[in-house]
């Protein structure tokens, strides 16, 4: 993880390895389409089961906070 910058707290299960990764995470975290982006990740066959579970948990948390 990058030393001088923190990953947005609600996406902290994703660890950026470069400044470009970090910038993308910040953009995704502030997007109005965050849930759509996270849902698309679930269809990525290269994602580990662990990461898919983290994405599902984040989607559930987002849904609860929107209610």
């Amino acid at each position: 993880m990058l030393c001088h910058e923190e990953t947005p707290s609600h996406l902290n299960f994703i660890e950026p390895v470069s400044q470009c990764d970090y910038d993308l995470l910040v953009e995704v975290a502030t997007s109005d389409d965050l849930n759509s982006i996270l849902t698309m990740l679930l269809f990525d066959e290269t994602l580990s089961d662990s990461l898919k579970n983290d994405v599902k948990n984040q989607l559930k948390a987002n849904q609860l906070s929107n209610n």
Side-chain angles (χ1 to χ4, degrees):
M1 189 139 136
L2 298 177
C3 300
H4 61 285
E5 298 178 279
E6 301 238 350
T7 304
S9 62
H10 57 290
L11 296 178
N12 62 4
F13 58 91
I14 301 172
E15 293 187 29
V17 293
S18 69
Q19 184 62 42
C20 184
D21 291 350
Y22 175 79
D23 292 342
L24 181 59
L25 274 176
V26 169
E27 189 169 331
V28 167
T30 58
S31 170
D32 291 335
D33 295 328
L34 176 60
N35 288 344
S36 296
I37 294 167
L38 291 174
T39 300
M40 287 188 312
L41 282 174
L42 295 176
F43 293 105
D44 185 342
E45 294 177 5
T46 64
L47 238 55
S48 70
D49 290 338
S50 172
L51 188 52
K52 282 185 182 183
N53 286 333
D54 290 339
V55 169
K56 287 178 189 177
N57 290 337
Q58 184 58 52
L59 282 167
K60 287 177 188 174
N62 290 356
Q63 188 175 32
L64 289 174
S65 70
N66 289 334
N67 290 335

